[in-house]
Amino acid sequence: RAVGTAHQYLAKPCECAALKAAISETYMLRRLLSNEPLARLVGRVDTLPSAPRAFQEILACLQRPTASVAYAAKIIAREAAMTANVIKLVNSAFFGARQPVTTADRAVAYLGLDTLGALVLGHGIFKNGVTSGIAGFSLESLWQHSLDVASAARTVAICEKLPHSRADEAFLGGMLNDVVKVVFATRPAAADAPASMEDAATQMLAHHGEVGAYLLGLWGFPNPIVEAVAFHDTPSQGSGDGLCLTTLIHIADRLVHARNARRADASACELEPGLLEKLGLSSHWPAWLAELESLNSADTTS
């Protein structure tokens, strides 16, 4: 019953280090997003809305006597809002996971179907997405793009032989890189919210990374994920070195745009100037793009 009443939960008795970290991260978030109206707007968000089709699928799955953990996890894993909502809960002290959980299948397995069903059917941790009428906006399309970026980030991580844990983290970061667009497109009417859809769109573009990172930070997501979302358009502003999570998400987003536009040249895809050259990975772009095309073809065939 307490789910949804707070952004984060701290266990009692609370260790001093955990309390200090929570306060320090909150202060950092306030500096990250200094726009007070936007901060209030985002602070009202307790769950992200799911695409209608995915929402109906998970409801049907959980109401079925023969439902399995694996099938429920498969539905959740391909929908960014559900992934964010369930990982947020599992990683909070409310559920007491011993190690950080970064994949939907582990999160669902940890909760179990009974708990997941109670949270979804009884307490509404997932909700059906209803947009506020922005022309051309589609939750289905946005979440599909997020899934594409997540798959691309994991593909690059695997191609570069990064640890499996980094590949999982890259997938989660890719899924969440555009969460801010949902916040604005489904925002509730409020006196201090932007006065028009045009204002909302303008502010979304101006504070794209910061708003998404602020929301995930409020929810207690790990700092690497928060930073990757904040700086996924300008990875050089992040604190990571080499092929860090922020850089992976930036590259993955541009790979997806390149694939969709049928562009094979990395220089035409708005990568941060000099990024691949600095990493010594300029020659790797064609291989990443080919692997992404191969995965896409396999998905289409299946």
Side-chain angles (χ1 to χ4, degrees), residues 9-28:
Y9 302 88
L10 298 176
K12 293 176 64 178
C14 181
E15 296 183 1
C16 291
L19 183 57
K20 286 181 179 179
I23 294 172
S24 176
E25 288 167 10
T26 301
Y27 180 68
M28 178 273 293

Side-chain angles (χ1 to χ4, degrees), residues 137-200:
F137 180 85
S138 164
L139 271 178
E140 299 278 1
S141 297
L142 176 60
W143 289 149
Q144 182 59 54
H145 174 73
S146 299
L147 180 59
D148 290 344
V149 174
S151 299
R154 182 165 58 190
T155 296
V156 173
I158 292 172
C159 286
E160 298 307 311
K161 297 180 172 54
L162 299 181
H164 186 72
S165 59
R166 175 60 63 83
D168 285 343
E169 192 178 46
F171 186 89
L172 178 59
M175 286 288 278
L176 302 177
N177 84 101
D178 277 337
V179 294
V180 61
K181 294 181 181 179
V182 185
V183 174
F184 280 94
T186 60
R187 66 188 178 92
D192 56 356
S196 68
M197 293 302 161
E198 289 76 18
D199 291 339

Side-chain angles (χ1 to χ4, degrees), residues 55-298:
F55 182 77
Q56 294 302 323
E57 284 182 3
I58 194 63
L59 286 184
C61 171
L62 293 172
Q63 291 170 333
R64 195 175 300 135
T66 57
S68 68
V69 167
Y71 186 63
K74 184 178 180 180
I75 295 171
I76 291 172
R78 64 174 184 253
E79 214 278 338
M82 293 182 183
T83 296
N85 292 333
V86 76
I87 289 179
K88 166 197 171 187
L89 285 174
V90 170
N91 283 331
S92 72
F94 190 82
F95 284 99
R98 293 179 178 272
Q99 298 293 330
V101 174
T102 58
T103 63
D105 55 347
R106 285 184 58 204
V108 174
Y110 184 87
L111 290 174
L113 280 181
D114 288 343
T115 300
L116 181 65
L119 290 169
V120 174
L121 302 176
H123 301 289
I125 67 161
F126 299 156
K127 61 182 178 181
N128 198 5
V130 179
T131 65
S132 54
I134 295 178
F137 180 85
S138 164
L139 271 178
E140 299 278 1
S141 297
L142 176 60
W143 289 149
Q144 182 59 54
H145 174 73
S146 299
L147 180 59
D148 290 344
V149 174
S151 299
R154 182 165 58 190
T155 296
V156 173
I158 292 172
C159 286
E160 298 307 311
K161 297 180 172 54
L162 299 181
H164 186 72
S165 59
R166 175 60 63 83
D168 285 343
E169 192 178 46
F171 186 89
L172 178 59
M175 286 288 278
L176 302 177
N177 84 101
D178 277 337
V179 294
V180 61
K181 294 181 181 179
V182 185
V183 174
F184 280 94
T186 60
R187 66 188 178 92
D192 56 356
S196 68
M197 293 302 161
E198 289 76 18
D199 291 339
T202 299
Q203 293 201 42
M204 177 184 70
L205 292 174
H207 301 277
H208 178 73
E210 299 99 309
V211 177
Y214 184 77
L215 174 64
L216 296 179
L218 284 179
W219 286 6
F221 273 72
N223 281 340
I225 296 290
V226 173
E227 182 171 297
V229 172
F231 302 118
H232 71 273
D233 282 331
T234 53
S236 62
Q237 294 183 23
S239 61
D241 296 321
L243 199 55
C244 63
L245 182 61
T246 304
T247 302
L248 276 171
I249 305 307
H250 177 72
I251 290 172
D253 183 65
R254 274 41 178 188
L255 276 169
V256 170
H257 286 299
R259 186 197 66 188
N260 293 342
R262 300 297 175 188
R263 291 178 177 172
D265 184 3
S267 63
C269 297
E270 297 185 5
L271 278 164
E272 191 171 55
L275 176 68
L276 295 185
E277 290 78 7
K278 179 181 177 182
L279 296 172
L281 298 174
S282 299
S283 62
H284 294 213
W285 179 270
W288 296 336
L289 194 57
E291 185 64 23
L292 205 59
E293 290 279 13
S294 176
L295 290 174
N296 186 56
S297 298

